[in-house]
Amino acid sequence: MHEIIKLENVSTTYEGEKRPAIKNINLSIKKNEFVYIVGPNAAGKTTLLETINGLLTPIQGKVQVFGQDVRKDGAKIRSEIGYVPQDFMVDQNEPYTALDVVLMGMYGKIGILKRVEDKHKAKALEVMELLGIKELANRPVGKLSGGQQQKVMIARALAKEPKILLLDEPFSNLDVESKEKIPKLIYQLHEERELTTLVVTHDANQIIQNVNRIVIMNEGKIIAEKTGKKLISSLKEFWWLPHTEAVE
Ligand SMILES: Nc1ncnc2c1ncn2[C@@H]1O[C@H](COP(=O)(O)OP(=O)(O)OP(=O)(O)O)[C@@H](O)[C@H]1O
Ligand SMILES: [Mg+2]
């Protein structure tokens, strides 16, 4: 079976730190898997995602995406990954509009020196419409609310038309209605486009019925991995981990 993402004995330590933030991680993810990563604060979830997309370089082990070494082919690999980071800081005086930010996701495909054409704008607006933020297209992104900014970040990742989605707490600022709708939309696109999707979220109820695999992390390690039908009941074994109790 072909693996899209493969980590072998990977440890990542932040500069100036003694202890690795993730330790001896082994993980294999196949095409079109929908993976849910869970664990308490500081478990290493964000570090894991950023090690996969090559934004962090491991001190040990091997990370392969599409069979290529992230250390060597990071930029190329990242052009196929839609990443929604957990912490994005938008300056209130940021001059870019919401549409500009969504278009930035498409630069890898458009080519940085080429002009943005009407067809690119149309595609970006189409994705923004799916997320219910089309009317915000010309507003400066710094003046949007936290939830609106989060939707812009999701739109940016989707407009890129990536092969892989890495979503780090993508629903945290969303209102109740959006927390229902947007995970469904993401799953629908995941299926239609045969994506490979990794989601870190404490809002598990909305996505849990669709996942193929649950990766449970604690203190920098993968302490369990579950696949198959009994995902939800198996997650209950981990009730003692903070933030897993959200699953009903
Ligand atoms: N930039 C950094 N420099 C040094 N240490 C860091 C840095 N970012 C994270 N860490 C440490 O690495 C460990 C893992 O952090 P990480 O952000 O991956 O956790 P997480 O599971 O994403 O947590 P949360 O649920 O709070 O987002 C923590 O102990 C954290 O303090
Ligand atoms: Mg995190």
Side-chain angles (χ1 to χ4, degrees):
M1 204 63 94
H2 189 65
E3 277 129 1
I4 286 258
I5 298 171
K6 191 169 168 68
L7 281 79
E8 287 172 284
N9 201 29
V10 170
S11 301
T12 301
T13 305
Y14 286 94
E15 225 177 283
E17 298 291 322
K18 285 203 187 86
R19 282 185 350 143
I22 55 172
K23 279 170 263 185
N24 305 111
I25 299 287
N26 289 294
L27 183 66
S28 290
I29 294 163
K30 293 187 217 72
K31 185 174 157 78
N32 205 213
E33 276 199 86
F34 197 96
V35 183
Y36 171 40
I37 300 169
V38 67
N41 293 137
K45 305 178 298 293
T46 298
T47 309
L48 176 65
L49 293 189
E50 298 211 339
T51 301
I52 290 171
N53 68 17
L55 295 179
L56 293 171
T57 305
I59 53 155
Q60 169 196 298
K62 196 162 141 193
V63 183
Q64 285 180 299
V65 181
F66 312 118
Q68 295 163 324
D69 188 335
V70 170
R71 208 180 285 220
K72 280 195 223 124
D73 299 309
K76 190 164 150 235
I77 288 167
R78 277 191 293 281
S79 75
E80 300 290 353
I81 296 181
Y83 179 40
V84 176
Q86 178 175 18
D87 304 307
F88 51 88
M89 298 265 273
V90 184
D91 187 331
Q92 220 181 315
N93 297 314
E94 182 65 66
Y96 295 113
T97 65
L99 177 61
D100 292 333
V101 173
V102 176
L103 282 167
M104 281 172 204
M106 298 162 77
Y107 282 172
K109 298 249 159 75
I110 300 170
I112 195 92
L113 297 174
K114 296 217 183 92
R115 244 172 216 273
V116 174
E117 294 169 24
D118 284 349
K119 66 174 183 194
H120 301 125
K121 280 194 184 164
K123 164 123 306 188
L125 287 168
E126 198 182 299
V127 178
M128 292 178 87
E129 187 163 28
L130 282 176
L131 287 154
I133 52 166
K134 193 179 170 191
E135 68 282 7
L136 304 177
N138 296 318
R139 297 261 315 269
V141 71
K143 303 275 194 281
L144 300 181
S145 75
Q148 289 175 326
Q149 287 177 353
Q150 198 157 35
K151 289 177 188 172
V152 171
M153 297 303 281
I154 295 170
R156 185 178 76 158
L158 295 174
K160 190 170 179 178
E161 301 199 323
K163 295 198 173 92
I164 295 176
L165 278 177
L166 300 180
L167 309 174
D168 198 349
E169 295 286 357
F171 317 126
S172 58
N173 293 318
L174 302 184
D175 58 37
V176 177
E177 195 190 332
S178 303
K179 272 188 185 174
E180 279 287 324
K181 272 194 191 161
I182 291 180
K184 277 191 191 139
L185 171 71
I186 287 172
Y187 183 66
Q188 191 190 326
L189 294 173
H190 165 88
E191 286 292 282
E192 280 170 17
R193 300 180 183 177
E194 293 185 41
L195 305 180
T196 305
T197 305
L198 276 61
V199 189
V200 173
T201 176
H202 297 308
D203 301 300
N205 284 323
Q206 279 75 28
I207 62 149
I208 198 84
Q209 56 270 42
N210 296 320
V211 301
N212 309 117
R213 182 189 296 268
I214 296 178
V215 173
I216 300 161
M217 297 187 73
N218 195 29
E219 296 182 351
K221 293 188 179 142
I222 293 178
I223 57 166
E225 250 189 279
K226 304 279 174 183
T227 53
K229 287 190 183 133
K230 292 185 179 158
L231 287 177
I232 297 172
S233 55
S234 64
L235 199 55
K236 288 194 174 138
E237 287 169 37
F238 297 92
W239 59 270
W240 50 272
L241 277 179
H243 304 294
T244 52
E245 73 279 6
V247 181
E248 281 156 10

